[in-house]
Amino acid sequence: MSENRTKVLVLNGPNLGRLGTREPEVYGSMTFDDIVAACAVLGEELKMAVDVRQTDSEAELVGWLHEAADERLPVVLNPAAFTHYSYALRDAASQRTAPLIEVHLTNPATREAFRHESVIAGVATGTIAGFGADSYLLALRAIQGLEDV
Ligand code: DQA
Protein backbone atom coordinates (compact mmCIF):
# COMPACT_ATOMS: atom_id res chain seq x y z
CA MET A 1 0.00 0.00 0.00
CA SER A 2 2.79 2.42 0.89
CA GLU A 3 4.38 1.85 -2.57
CA ASN A 4 1.84 4.18 -4.19
CA ARG A 5 2.39 6.92 -1.65
CA THR A 6 4.42 10.02 -2.40
CA LYS A 7 7.43 9.93 -0.11
CA VAL A 8 8.30 13.28 1.46
CA LEU A 9 11.31 14.14 3.62
CA VAL A 10 10.64 16.67 6.39
CA LEU A 11 14.09 17.84 7.43
CA ASN A 12 14.91 19.92 10.48
CA GLY A 13 18.09 21.68 11.50
CA PRO A 14 19.77 22.56 14.78
CA ASN A 15 17.99 23.07 18.10
CA LEU A 16 14.59 22.03 16.73
CA GLY A 17 14.83 18.76 18.65
CA ARG A 18 14.53 20.89 21.80
CA LEU A 19 11.13 22.36 20.94
CA GLY A 20 8.87 22.38 23.96
CA THR A 21 11.65 23.46 26.32
CA ARG A 22 13.48 25.80 23.91
CA GLU A 23 12.33 29.41 24.44
CA PRO A 24 8.63 28.50 24.70
CA GLU A 25 7.73 32.20 24.63
CA VAL A 26 9.13 32.26 21.07
CA TYR A 27 8.50 28.75 19.76
CA GLY A 28 5.49 27.63 21.82
CA SER A 29 5.00 24.51 23.92
CA MET A 30 4.74 21.97 21.13
CA THR A 31 7.54 19.40 21.19
CA PHE A 32 9.39 18.03 18.20
CA ASP A 33 7.58 14.72 18.73
CA ASP A 34 4.27 16.59 18.53
CA ILE A 35 5.31 17.92 15.11
CA VAL A 36 6.32 14.43 13.99
CA ALA A 37 2.90 13.14 15.08
CA ALA A 38 1.01 15.97 13.35
CA CYS A 39 2.93 15.35 10.10
CA ALA A 40 2.18 11.62 10.34
CA VAL A 41 -1.56 12.24 10.79
CA LEU A 42 -1.71 14.61 7.80
CA GLY A 43 0.49 12.25 5.81
CA GLU A 44 -2.12 9.51 6.30
CA GLU A 45 -4.86 11.85 5.12
CA LEU A 46 -2.88 12.97 2.07
CA LYS A 47 -1.64 9.43 1.32
CA MET A 48 1.98 10.50 1.73
CA ALA A 49 4.81 8.58 3.36
CA VAL A 50 6.24 11.34 5.54
CA ASP A 51 9.73 10.83 6.97
CA VAL A 52 10.51 13.48 9.61
CA ARG A 53 14.15 13.90 10.67
CA GLN A 54 16.12 16.33 12.83
CA THR A 55 19.84 16.93 13.20
CA ASP A 56 22.13 19.49 14.75
CA SER A 57 24.76 18.63 12.12
CA GLU A 58 25.15 20.64 8.92
CA ALA A 59 26.91 17.69 7.24
CA GLU A 60 24.05 15.32 8.02
CA LEU A 61 21.47 17.77 6.70
CA VAL A 62 23.50 18.21 3.49
CA GLY A 63 23.62 14.40 3.14
CA TRP A 64 19.84 14.14 3.49
CA LEU A 65 19.39 16.78 0.77
CA HIS A 66 21.69 14.74 -1.51
CA GLU A 67 19.53 11.68 -0.77
CA ALA A 68 16.38 13.65 -1.69
CA ALA A 69 18.00 14.89 -4.91
CA ASP A 70 19.14 11.39 -5.91
CA GLU A 71 15.72 9.85 -5.16
CA ARG A 72 13.73 12.77 -6.60
CA LEU A 73 11.94 13.26 -3.27
CA PRO A 74 10.02 16.41 -2.32
CA VAL A 75 11.36 18.10 0.81
CA VAL A 76 9.93 20.25 3.59
CA LEU A 77 12.97 21.94 5.12
CA ASN A 78 13.27 23.93 8.34
CA PRO A 79 16.97 24.80 8.19
CA ALA A 80 16.75 26.62 11.57
CA ALA A 81 19.79 28.89 12.09
CA PHE A 82 21.48 27.42 8.97
CA THR A 83 18.83 29.39 7.04
CA HIS A 84 20.76 32.55 7.56
CA TYR A 85 24.33 31.60 6.70
CA SER A 86 24.86 28.07 5.36
CA TYR A 87 25.96 28.28 1.75
CA ALA A 88 26.69 24.55 1.93
CA LEU A 89 23.03 23.90 2.67
CA ARG A 90 21.95 26.30 -0.06
CA ASP A 91 24.18 24.52 -2.58
CA ALA A 92 22.69 21.18 -1.52
CA ALA A 93 19.12 22.51 -1.73
CA SER A 94 19.93 23.97 -5.15
CA GLN A 95 20.48 20.42 -6.47
CA ARG A 96 16.88 19.51 -5.75
CA THR A 97 15.03 17.42 -8.32
CA ALA A 98 11.57 17.86 -6.76
CA PRO A 99 9.76 20.64 -4.87
CA LEU A 100 11.44 21.97 -1.73
CA ILE A 101 9.42 24.11 0.66
CA GLU A 102 11.30 26.16 3.26
CA VAL A 103 9.37 26.38 6.52
CA HIS A 104 9.73 28.26 9.79
CA LEU A 105 7.68 28.09 12.96
CA THR A 106 8.17 31.80 13.57
CA ASN A 107 8.23 34.61 11.02
CA PRO A 108 11.93 35.48 10.81
CA ALA A 109 11.09 38.80 9.08
CA THR A 110 9.60 40.06 12.36
CA ARG A 111 12.62 39.04 14.44
CA GLU A 112 16.28 40.07 14.81
CA ALA A 113 17.95 41.56 11.72
CA PHE A 114 20.28 38.57 11.26
CA ARG A 115 17.19 36.39 10.69
CA HIS A 116 15.85 38.56 7.86
CA GLU A 117 18.05 36.97 5.22
CA SER A 118 17.49 33.40 4.07
CA VAL A 119 20.22 31.95 1.86
CA ILE A 120 17.85 29.03 1.16
CA ALA A 121 14.82 31.01 -0.09
CA GLY A 122 16.36 31.70 -3.50
CA VAL A 123 16.57 28.00 -4.35
CA ALA A 124 13.33 26.87 -2.65
CA THR A 125 10.03 26.35 -4.45
CA GLY A 126 8.43 28.55 -1.80
CA THR A 127 8.53 29.55 1.85
CA ILE A 128 5.93 29.23 4.63
CA ALA A 129 6.74 31.00 7.88
CA GLY A 130 5.03 32.18 11.02
CA PHE A 131 2.29 29.60 11.54
CA GLY A 132 3.90 27.45 14.22
CA ALA A 133 3.58 23.72 13.57
CA ASP A 134 0.95 24.51 10.94
CA SER A 135 3.79 25.80 8.72
CA TYR A 136 4.78 22.14 8.22
CA LEU A 137 1.22 21.04 7.51
CA LEU A 138 0.67 23.85 5.01
CA ALA A 139 3.92 22.83 3.30
CA LEU A 140 2.77 19.20 3.00
CA ARG A 141 -0.47 20.40 1.43
CA ALA A 142 1.52 22.64 -0.93
CA ILE A 143 3.63 19.66 -2.00
CA GLN A 144 0.54 17.61 -2.62
CA GLY A 145 -0.85 20.41 -4.77
CA LEU A 146 2.38 20.59 -6.78
CA GLU A 147 2.45 16.81 -7.22
CA ASP A 148 -1.11 16.91 -8.56
CA VAL A 149 -0.17 19.42 -11.27
C1 DQA B 1 13.41 28.97 12.84
C2 DQA B 1 13.85 30.42 12.72
C3 DQA B 1 15.36 30.53 12.76
O1 DQA B 1 15.76 31.90 12.69
C4 DQA B 1 15.92 29.94 14.03
O2 DQA B 1 17.33 29.96 14.01
C5 DQA B 1 15.40 28.58 14.33
C6 DQA B 1 13.99 28.30 14.06
C7 DQA B 1 11.87 28.82 12.93
O3 DQA B 1 11.40 27.72 12.67
O4 DQA B 1 11.20 29.77 13.28
O5 DQA B 1 16.10 27.74 14.87
O6 DQA B 1 13.84 28.28 11.66
Side-chain angles (χ1 to χ4, degrees):
M1 172 167 158
S2 62
E3 300 90 281
N4 296 329
R5 295 181 172 225
T6 301
K7 186 174 174 186
V8 181
L9 296 188
V10 179
L11 305 180
N12 293 275
N15 298 301
L16 293 170
R18 295 181 56 77
L19 290 172
T21 52
R22 174 192 183 189
E23 300 177 89
E25 68 285 4
V26 176
Y27 293 106
S29 57
M30 229 178 175
T31 66
F32 183 72
D33 285 347
D34 291 335
I35 290 177
V36 174
C39 287
V41 168
L42 185 62
E44 280 301 313
E45 185 190 313
L46 300 180
K47 304 276 181 279
M48 290 174 159
V50 181
D51 183 354
V52 187
R53 306 177 190 175
Q54 188 274 328
T55 182
D56 293 336
S57 156
E58 185 180 31
E60 189 165 32
L61 206 43
V62 165
W64 289 343
L65 288 172
H66 293 170
E67 176 187 335
D70 289 346
E71 295 182 24
R72 313 191 85 76
L73 300 177
V75 173
V76 174
L77 174 64
N78 186 343
F82 292 147
T83 306
H84 313 299
Y85 67 90
S86 175
Y87 298 126
L89 204 61
R90 179 197 165 100
D91 285 350
S94 185
Q95 296 171 53
R96 67 182 177 79
T97 52
L100 182 150
I101 315 287
E102 177 184 350
V103 299
H104 299 283
L105 295 152
T106 63
N107 180 356
T110 64
R111 301 181 61 195
E112 303 97 316
F114 76 88
R115 297 186 203 275
H116 295 178
E117 187 184 3
S118 167
V119 301
I120 307 298
V123 295
T125 308
T127 302
I128 299 172
F131 300 97
D134 282 348
S135 293
Y136 291 81
L137 305 182
L138 291 165
L140 289 174
R141 290 190 186 280
I143 282 175
Q144 191 201 37
L146 292 165
E147 294 284 319
D148 286 347
V149 169

PDB file of all heavy atoms in Angstrom, residues 12-36:
ATOM      1  N   ASN A  12      14.818  18.860   9.475  1.00  0.00           N
ATOM      2  CA  ASN A  12      14.908  19.916  10.483  1.00  0.00           C
ATOM      3  C   ASN A  12      16.329  20.094  10.976  1.00  0.00           C
ATOM      4  O   ASN A  12      17.017  19.121  11.283  1.00  0.00           O
ATOM      5  CB  ASN A  12      14.019  19.548  11.673  1.00  0.00           C
ATOM      6  CG  ASN A  12      12.566  19.556  11.309  1.00  0.00           C
ATOM      7  OD1 ASN A  12      11.931  20.609  11.348  1.00  0.00           O
ATOM      8  ND2 ASN A  12      12.028  18.408  10.917  1.00  0.00           N
ATOM      9  N   GLY A  13      16.735  21.354  11.094  1.00  0.00           N
ATOM     10  CA  GLY A  13      18.090  21.680  11.505  1.00  0.00           C
ATOM     11  C   GLY A  13      18.246  21.871  13.004  1.00  0.00           C
ATOM     12  O   GLY A  13      17.408  21.433  13.797  1.00  0.00           O
ATOM     13  N   PRO A  14      19.326  22.539  13.398  1.00  0.00           N
ATOM     14  CA  PRO A  14      19.771  22.558  14.783  1.00  0.00           C
ATOM     15  C   PRO A  14      18.792  23.201  15.767  1.00  0.00           C
ATOM     16  O   PRO A  14      18.123  24.174  15.439  1.00  0.00           O
ATOM     17  CB  PRO A  14      21.079  23.364  14.733  1.00  0.00           C
ATOM     18  CG  PRO A  14      21.022  24.122  13.461  1.00  0.00           C
ATOM     19  CD  PRO A  14      20.225  23.289  12.501  1.00  0.00           C
ATOM     20  N   ASN A  15      18.761  22.608  16.928  1.00  0.00           N
ATOM     21  CA  ASN A  15      17.987  23.066  18.097  1.00  0.00           C
ATOM     22  C   ASN A  15      16.492  22.766  18.001  1.00  0.00           C
ATOM     23  O   ASN A  15      15.759  22.959  18.977  1.00  0.00           O
ATOM     24  CB  ASN A  15      18.209  24.573  18.362  1.00  0.00           C
ATOM     25  CG  ASN A  15      19.660  24.876  18.693  1.00  0.00           C
ATOM     26  OD1 ASN A  15      20.198  24.338  19.651  1.00  0.00           O
ATOM     27  ND2 ASN A  15      20.301  25.693  17.884  1.00  0.00           N
ATOM     28  N   LEU A  16      16.028  22.297  16.851  1.00  0.00           N
ATOM     29  CA  LEU A  16      14.590  22.027  16.734  1.00  0.00           C
ATOM     30  C   LEU A  16      14.186  20.774  17.499  1.00  0.00           C
ATOM     31  O   LEU A  16      13.006  20.615  17.837  1.00  0.00           O
ATOM     32  CB  LEU A  16      14.188  21.938  15.256  1.00  0.00           C
ATOM     33  CG  LEU A  16      14.308  23.293  14.529  1.00  0.00           C
ATOM     34  CD1 LEU A  16      14.128  23.111  13.022  1.00  0.00           C
ATOM     35  CD2 LEU A  16      13.292  24.299  15.065  1.00  0.00           C
ATOM     36  N   GLY A  17      15.141  19.914  17.812  1.00  0.00           N
ATOM     37  CA  GLY A  17      14.831  18.758  18.652  1.00  0.00           C
ATOM     38  C   GLY A  17      14.495  19.162  20.084  1.00  0.00           C
ATOM     39  O   GLY A  17      13.988  18.347  20.851  1.00  0.00           O
ATOM     40  N   ARG A  18      14.763  20.405  20.429  1.00  0.00           N
ATOM     41  CA  ARG A  18      14.531  20.886  21.797  1.00  0.00           C
ATOM     42  C   ARG A  18      13.235  21.696  21.917  1.00  0.00           C
ATOM     43  O   ARG A  18      12.975  22.352  22.931  1.00  0.00           O
ATOM     44  CB  ARG A  18      15.724  21.706  22.268  1.00  0.00           C
ATOM     45  CG  ARG A  18      16.986  20.852  22.388  1.00  0.00           C
ATOM     46  CD  ARG A  18      18.177  21.636  22.864  1.00  0.00           C
ATOM     47  NE  ARG A  18      17.947  22.309  24.134  1.00  0.00           N
ATOM     48  CZ  ARG A  18      17.953  21.710  25.324  1.00  0.00           C
ATOM     49  NH1 ARG A  18      18.198  20.426  25.403  1.00  0.00           N
ATOM     50  NH2 ARG A  18      17.733  22.401  26.414  1.00  0.00           N
ATOM     51  N   LEU A  19      12.418  21.653  20.856  1.00  0.00           N
ATOM     52  CA  LEU A  19      11.130  22.363  20.939  1.00  0.00           C
ATOM     53  C   LEU A  19      10.346  21.854  22.140  1.00  0.00           C
ATOM     54  O   LEU A  19      10.388  20.671  22.470  1.00  0.00           O
ATOM     55  CB  LEU A  19      10.325  22.162  19.652  1.00  0.00           C
ATOM     56  CG  LEU A  19      10.881  22.873  18.423  1.00  0.00           C
ATOM     57  CD1 LEU A  19      10.105  22.448  17.178  1.00  0.00           C
ATOM     58  CD2 LEU A  19      10.837  24.388  18.592  1.00  0.00           C
ATOM     59  N   GLY A  20       9.612  22.744  22.741  1.00  0.00           N
ATOM     60  CA  GLY A  20       8.871  22.385  23.962  1.00  0.00           C
ATOM     61  C   GLY A  20       9.548  23.000  25.168  1.00  0.00           C
ATOM     62  O   GLY A  20       8.907  23.648  25.976  1.00  0.00           O
ATOM     63  N   THR A  21      10.892  22.814  25.233  1.00  0.00           N
ATOM     64  CA  THR A  21      11.651  23.457  26.320  1.00  0.00           C
ATOM     65  C   THR A  21      12.432  24.658  25.798  1.00  0.00           C
ATOM     66  O   THR A  21      12.772  25.552  26.557  1.00  0.00           O
ATOM     67  CB  THR A  21      12.652  22.481  26.970  1.00  0.00           C
ATOM     68  OG1 THR A  21      13.451  21.889  25.948  1.00  0.00           O
ATOM     69  CG2 THR A  21      11.940  21.385  27.737  1.00  0.00           C
ATOM     70  N   ARG A  22      12.698  24.699  24.488  1.00  0.00           N
ATOM     71  CA  ARG A  22      13.476  25.797  23.908  1.00  0.00           C
ATOM     72  C   ARG A  22      12.617  27.069  23.800  1.00  0.00           C
ATOM     73  O   ARG A  22      11.655  27.117  23.025  1.00  0.00           O
ATOM     74  CB  ARG A  22      13.942  25.400  22.504  1.00  0.00           C
ATOM     75  CG  ARG A  22      14.643  26.512  21.754  1.00  0.00           C
ATOM     76  CD  ARG A  22      14.820  26.172  20.282  1.00  0.00           C
ATOM     77  NE  ARG A  22      15.552  27.228  19.624  1.00  0.00           N
ATOM     78  CZ  ARG A  22      15.721  27.316  18.307  1.00  0.00           C
ATOM     79  NH1 ARG A  22      15.201  26.383  17.516  1.00  0.00           N
ATOM     80  NH2 ARG A  22      16.391  28.304  17.782  1.00  0.00           N
ATOM     81  N   GLU A  23      12.995  28.096  24.541  1.00  0.00           N
ATOM     82  CA  GLU A  23      12.328  29.406  24.441  1.00  0.00           C
ATOM     83  C   GLU A  23      10.839  29.283  24.105  1.00  0.00           C
ATOM     84  O   GLU A  23      10.398  29.724  23.035  1.00  0.00           O
ATOM     85  CB  GLU A  23      13.015  30.260  23.373  1.00  0.00           C
ATOM     86  CG  GLU A  23      14.481  30.545  23.635  1.00  0.00           C
ATOM     87  CD  GLU A  23      15.121  31.333  22.508  1.00  0.00           C
ATOM     88  OE1 GLU A  23      15.087  32.572  22.569  1.00  0.00           O
ATOM     89  OE2 GLU A  23      15.630  30.696  21.558  1.00  0.00           O
ATOM     90  N   PRO A  24      10.051  28.713  25.025  1.00  0.00           N
ATOM     91  CA  PRO A  24       8.631  28.504  24.695  1.00  0.00           C
ATOM     92  C   PRO A  24       7.879  29.795  24.384  1.00  0.00           C
ATOM     93  O   PRO A  24       6.882  29.773  23.655  1.00  0.00           O
ATOM     94  CB  PRO A  24       8.066  27.804  25.942  1.00  0.00           C
ATOM     95  CG  PRO A  24       9.106  27.953  26.998  1.00  0.00           C
ATOM     96  CD  PRO A  24      10.424  28.181  26.327  1.00  0.00           C
ATOM     97  N   GLU A  25       8.388  30.913  24.914  1.00  0.00           N
ATOM     98  CA  GLU A  25       7.727  32.197  24.626  1.00  0.00           C
ATOM     99  C   GLU A  25       7.896  32.584  23.154  1.00  0.00           C
ATOM    100  O   GLU A  25       7.142  33.391  22.624  1.00  0.00           O
ATOM    101  CB  GLU A  25       8.254  33.299  25.574  1.00  0.00           C
ATOM    102  CG  GLU A  25       9.706  33.729  25.387  1.00  0.00           C
ATOM    103  CD  GLU A  25      10.770  32.747  25.911  1.00  0.00           C
ATOM    104  OE1 GLU A  25      10.414  31.646  26.388  1.00  0.00           O
ATOM    105  OE2 GLU A  25      11.968  33.075  25.808  1.00  0.00           O
ATOM    106  N   VAL A  26       8.896  31.999  22.497  1.00  0.00           N
ATOM    107  CA  VAL A  26       9.126  32.264  21.067  1.00  0.00           C
ATOM    108  C   VAL A  26       8.535  31.142  20.212  1.00  0.00           C
ATOM    109  O   VAL A  26       7.843  31.387  19.218  1.00  0.00           O
ATOM    110  CB  VAL A  26      10.643  32.386  20.761  1.00  0.00           C
ATOM    111  CG1 VAL A  26      10.870  32.569  19.251  1.00  0.00           C
ATOM    112  CG2 VAL A  26      11.264  33.533  21.554  1.00  0.00           C
ATOM    113  N   TYR A  27       8.818  29.892  20.631  1.00  0.00           N
ATOM    114  CA  TYR A  27       8.502  28.749  19.758  1.00  0.00           C
ATOM    115  C   TYR A  27       7.275  27.948  20.213  1.00  0.00           C
ATOM    116  O   TYR A  27       6.883  27.005  19.529  1.00  0.00           O
ATOM    117  CB  TYR A  27       9.728  27.825  19.667  1.00  0.00           C
ATOM    118  CG  TYR A  27      10.879  28.481  18.943  1.00  0.00           C
ATOM    119  CD1 TYR A  27      12.000  28.939  19.638  1.00  0.00           C
ATOM    120  CD2 TYR A  27      10.830  28.688  17.569  1.00  0.00           C
ATOM    121  CE1 TYR A  27      13.052  29.570  18.975  1.00  0.00           C
ATOM    122  CE2 TYR A  27      11.861  29.323  16.898  1.00  0.00           C
ATOM    123  CZ  TYR A  27      12.968  29.761  17.611  1.00  0.00           C
ATOM    124  OH  TYR A  27      13.992  30.388  16.945  1.00  0.00           O
ATOM    125  N   GLY A  28       6.679  28.334  21.352  1.00  0.00           N
ATOM    126  CA  GLY A  28       5.494  27.628  21.819  1.00  0.00           C
ATOM    127  C   GLY A  28       5.841  26.383  22.621  1.00  0.00           C
ATOM    128  O   GLY A  28       7.013  26.082  22.869  1.00  0.00           O
ATOM    129  N   SER A  29       4.820  25.653  23.012  1.00  0.00           N
ATOM    130  CA  SER A  29       5.005  24.514  23.916  1.00  0.00           C
ATOM    131  C   SER A  29       5.021  23.179  23.183  1.00  0.00           C
ATOM    132  O   SER A  29       5.265  22.130  23.776  1.00  0.00           O
ATOM    133  CB  SER A  29       3.900  24.506  24.983  1.00  0.00           C
ATOM    134  OG  SER A  29       2.651  24.463  24.329  1.00  0.00           O
ATOM    135  N   MET A  30       4.748  23.210  21.892  1.00  0.00           N
ATOM    136  CA  MET A  30       4.741  21.965  21.129  1.00  0.00           C
ATOM    137  C   MET A  30       6.138  21.360  21.081  1.00  0.00           C
ATOM    138  O   MET A  30       7.116  22.082  20.864  1.00  0.00           O
ATOM    139  CB  MET A  30       4.283  22.259  19.706  1.00  0.00           C
ATOM    140  CG  MET A  30       3.209  21.333  19.240  1.00  0.00           C
ATOM    141  SD  MET A  30       2.673  21.766  17.591  1.00  0.00           S
ATOM    142  CE  MET A  30       1.548  20.432  17.318  1.00  0.00           C
ATOM    143  N   THR A  31       6.236  20.063  21.267  1.00  0.00           N
ATOM    144  CA  THR A  31       7.535  19.397  21.191  1.00  0.00           C
ATOM    145  C   THR A  31       7.804  18.951  19.753  1.00  0.00           C
ATOM    146  O   THR A  31       6.899  18.922  18.911  1.00  0.00           O
ATOM    147  CB  THR A  31       7.570  18.157  22.105  1.00  0.00           C
ATOM    148  OG1 THR A  31       6.637  17.197  21.581  1.00  0.00           O
ATOM    149  CG2 THR A  31       7.208  18.510  23.542  1.00  0.00           C
ATOM    150  N   PHE A  32       9.061  18.547  19.520  1.00  0.00           N
ATOM    151  CA  PHE A  32       9.390  18.026  18.197  1.00  0.00           C
ATOM    152  C   PHE A  32       8.561  16.775  17.906  1.00  0.00           C
ATOM    153  O   PHE A  32       8.076  16.587  16.788  1.00  0.00           O
ATOM    154  CB  PHE A  32      10.892  17.732  18.089  1.00  0.00           C
ATOM    155  CG  PHE A  32      11.277  17.258  16.729  1.00  0.00           C
ATOM    156  CD1 PHE A  32      11.300  18.136  15.656  1.00  0.00           C
ATOM    157  CD2 PHE A  32      11.576  15.927  16.503  1.00  0.00           C
ATOM    158  CE1 PHE A  32      11.617  17.698  14.378  1.00  0.00           C
ATOM    159  CE2 PHE A  32      11.898  15.481  15.227  1.00  0.00           C
ATOM    160  CZ  PHE A  32      11.921  16.367  14.166  1.00  0.00           C
ATOM    161  N   ASP A  33       8.391  15.934  18.926  1.00  0.00           N
ATOM    162  CA  ASP A  33       7.582  14.718  18.731  1.00  0.00           C
ATOM    163  C   ASP A  33       6.137  15.058  18.360  1.00  0.00           C
ATOM    164  O   ASP A  33       5.497  14.319  17.600  1.00  0.00           O
ATOM    165  CB  ASP A  33       7.608  13.847  19.992  1.00  0.00           C
ATOM    166  CG  ASP A  33       8.942  13.125  20.149  1.00  0.00           C
ATOM    167  OD1 ASP A  33       9.734  13.108  19.188  1.00  0.00           O
ATOM    168  OD2 ASP A  33       9.188  12.578  21.243  1.00  0.00           O
ATOM    169  N   ASP A  34       5.629  16.157  18.903  1.00  0.00           N
ATOM    170  CA  ASP A  34       4.268  16.585  18.529  1.00  0.00           C
ATOM    171  C   ASP A  34       4.208  16.935  17.037  1.00  0.00           C
ATOM    172  O   ASP A  34       3.225  16.629  16.349  1.00  0.00           O
ATOM    173  CB  ASP A  34       3.836  17.830  19.332  1.00  0.00           C
ATOM    174  CG  ASP A  34       3.619  17.547  20.815  1.00  0.00           C
ATOM    175  OD1 ASP A  34       3.331  16.389  21.168  1.00  0.00           O
ATOM    176  OD2 ASP A  34       3.763  18.503  21.610  1.00  0.00           O
ATOM    177  N   ILE A  35       5.279  17.569  16.540  1.00  0.00           N
ATOM    178  CA  ILE A  35       5.314  17.921  15.109  1.00  0.00           C
ATOM    179  C   ILE A  35       5.404  16.651  14.262  1.00  0.00           C
ATOM    180  O   ILE A  35       4.716  16.520  13.242  1.00  0.00           O
ATOM    181  CB  ILE A  35       6.483  18.887  14.822  1.00  0.00           C
ATOM    182  CG1 ILE A  35       6.162  20.245  15.449  1.00  0.00           C
ATOM    183  CG2 ILE A  35       6.744  19.026  13.317  1.00  0.00           C
ATOM    184  CD1 ILE A  35       7.239  21.289  15.309  1.00  0.00           C
ATOM    185  N   VAL A  36       6.221  15.704  14.712  1.00  0.00           N
ATOM    186  CA  VAL A  36       6.324  14.428  13.991  1.00  0.00           C
ATOM    187  C   VAL A  36       4.938  13.778  13.905  1.00  0.00           C
ATOM    188  O   VAL A  36       4.516  13.312  12.835  1.00  0.00           O
ATOM    189  CB  VAL A  36       7.314  13.470  14.700  1.00  0.00           C
ATOM    190  CG1 VAL A  36       7.304  12.100  14.038  1.00  0.00           C
ATOM    191  CG2 VAL A  36       8.726  14.066  14.693  1.00  0.00           C
TER     192      VAL A  36
END
